[in-house]
Amino acid sequence: MTTLRLISSMATKPLLADLLALYQAQAPDVQVLVESVGGVDAAKRVQAGEAFDGVVLASDAIDKLVASGHVLAGSRADLVRSGVAVAVPAGQPVPDISTEAALKAAVLAATTLGYSTGPSGVQLAKQFEAWGIADTIAPRIVQAKPGVPVGSLVAQGEVALGFQQLSEMLGVQGITIVGGLPPAVEIITTFSGSMAASCAQPEAMRALLAFWQSPACDALKRQHGMAPA
C-alpha cells in the first residue's frame, strides 16, 4: 500500500474528498490522506519544513512555495477555477449585485461585511480600496479566522454580507447565496496541486495529479461550483 500525505486549503476540502473517492476506486493500492486547514496556515507549515507529498493551494501560493524551494518546480497542476460568491443570512432581503455599481451600493449598505484571509479576501480588500470605500467600511469588516468558513459567520448572524469561494458557501445551512460577483469585478482563483520538495512517492503523486486534471474529474468539479482549470 502506497500512502500519500497532502495538505490543502479549506476551499477545496469537499471537492478533494470526492476526487479522492473517484481516484481510489481505480487505484485501491494508494491511500491518500488530506489535511485541510486555512490556506495561510497550510503555506506556513510547508515553509516550516513539515513533510508532505503534495500541496493543494491557490496557484499564487504554490508559486511562492516553488520560489522558496518547498515545492518542486514544474510540478504545478492547475485543477480548478473558483469564483467568489456573496451570501446573506437566510430570510434576509437579497441585495442587487448584478452590476459593479449595485455591488458597491450593497457593500456600503451592509451593517457588517465578512471575507476570508485567503486570496479572495486579499483581492476583495484591493477592490474596496479601488472604490475608495476601504476606510468607510473598515469598522464593519469581520475577517474570518483561517479555517473558519465565512458562510458560518453569515449563518450565525455575525456577518450581514459575506464573500467567499462559491465552493465553500454551497451546502452551508442558514444562508442564502445571492450569486457571484458581476463580470467587471469578478474574483477568480485558480487552485493547483503540486509535489512537495519532501515528496517520498513522486511517481504516485504525479499519477494522482494527472488523474485530477483529467476529464474524468470535470463533472465533479462543476458539482462543487468550480470550473476545470
Side-chain angles (χ1 to χ4, degrees):
M1 174 71 73
T2 297
T3 299
L4 294 174
R5 185 171 178 236
L6 280 66
I7 190 167
S8 82
S9 62
M10 294 298 291
T12 54
K13 181 179 180 178
L15 171 66
L16 292 185
D18 284 351
L19 289 179
L20 282 178
L22 193 63
Y23 181 68
Q24 293 186 311
Q26 57 95 45
D29 58 334
V30 180
Q31 180 185 36
V32 184
L33 306 175
V34 180
E35 184 178 358
S36 296
V37 298
V40 174
D41 288 342
K44 286 180 179 178
R45 287 173 59 180
V46 175
Q47 288 168 337
E50 193 169 339
F52 295 100
D53 295 294
V55 184
V56 180
L57 291 172
S59 58
D60 60 341
I62 292 289
D63 290 344
K64 289 176 183 175
L65 291 172
V66 169
S68 65
H70 294 94
V71 160
L72 295 180
S75 69
R76 178 180 135 184
D78 293 342
L79 303 176
V80 289
R81 297 173 68 250
S82 178
V84 168
V86 180
V88 297
Q92 294 300 307
V94 175
D96 176 13
I97 61 167
S98 59
T99 65
E100 181 178 356
L103 177 63
K104 180 179 177 181
V107 168
L108 286 170
T111 54
T112 47
L113 301 146
Y115 56 83
S116 74
T117 56
S120 63
V122 173
Q123 288 299 109
L124 198 62
K126 289 179 180 178
Q127 185 59 59
F128 295 156
E129 289 280 357
W131 281 341
I133 65 172
D135 290 341
T136 301
I137 64 173
R140 297 182 243 156
I141 298 293
V142 178
Q143 191 165 43
K145 295 178 180 178
V148 176
V150 174
S152 68
L153 300 181
V154 176
Q156 293 161 17
E158 294 181 40
V159 168
L161 194 68
F163 298 80
Q164 197 163 34
Q165 306 292 335
L166 174 61
S167 61
E168 293 184 81
M169 296 282 200
L170 293 174
V172 176
Q173 299 297 312
I175 70 172
T176 297
I177 298 175
V178 183
L181 303 186
V185 291
E186 68 179 351
I187 298 173
I188 303 294
T189 300
T190 298
F191 288 94
S192 309
S194 197
M195 195 182 307
S198 54
C199 182
Q201 304 284 349
E203 290 305 316
M205 193 62 218
R206 284 193 196 96
L208 176 64
L209 291 175
F211 179 78
W212 280 352
Q213 279 192 303
S214 74
C217 296
D218 288 356
L220 264 182
K221 293 174 182 179
R222 293 189 180 97
Q223 286 175 24
H224 283 269
M226 299 180 175

